[in-house]
Amino acid sequence: MCNQRFAVKGGLKYFADKKRGVVIRLSRDGHTEISYYGMRGWFKENMKSFTKMVGIYDNVKDQYILSLQNDTSAYHTLAYDESSKGWTSFYTYKPSGGFTLKNVLYTFNGPNIYKHYQTTNYNNFYNVGNTSTVNVILNNT
């Protein structure tokens, strides 16, 4: 099983530290805790309960994808976007690995491969349909 929580994009390197419950980006300027950007408490609370982590860099959307998984069906797949400096989405797919080739993101789930962004049948990964939801969060200040 893949437990690759490390991903690279140019001079940027991304890593999930399960023991500390943080996600870190290493660049020429040093290291930055990117889990701090709106998700620090969530990662500290949830990361330790997962047995497997998969990190992928999506060159199409320019995002670091991190999937926290258990041997059971439990998982959370999240995306960090550099341009917004935040965690922009929870995805409904559970990759065991992935890569970008010729501007197409491919992910695997066991023996199944999925080619992302090639269909309008959204939220259907590895021939499994999922329900989409939107949670609106407002700041009172």
Side-chain angles (χ1 to χ4, degrees), residues 102-136:
K102 294 187 177 181
N103 211 29
V104 176
L105 173 66
Y106 296 91
T107 61
F108 302 93
N109 182 298
N112 302 314
I113 188 168
Y114 184 77
K115 188 176 180 181
H116 291 256
Y117 317 126
Q118 302 298 306
T119 179
T120 57
N121 191 6
Y122 299 110
N123 218 7
N124 186 334
F125 303 99
Y126 318 113
N127 294 320
V128 176
N130 296 286
T131 303
S132 296
T133 62
V134 175
N135 295 327
V136 178

Side-chain angles (χ1 to χ4, degrees), residues 38 62 67 82 86 88 92 111-112 118 138:
D62 208 20
S67 186
E82 283 292 341
T88 56
T92 58
N112 302 314
Q118 302 298 306
L138 301 175

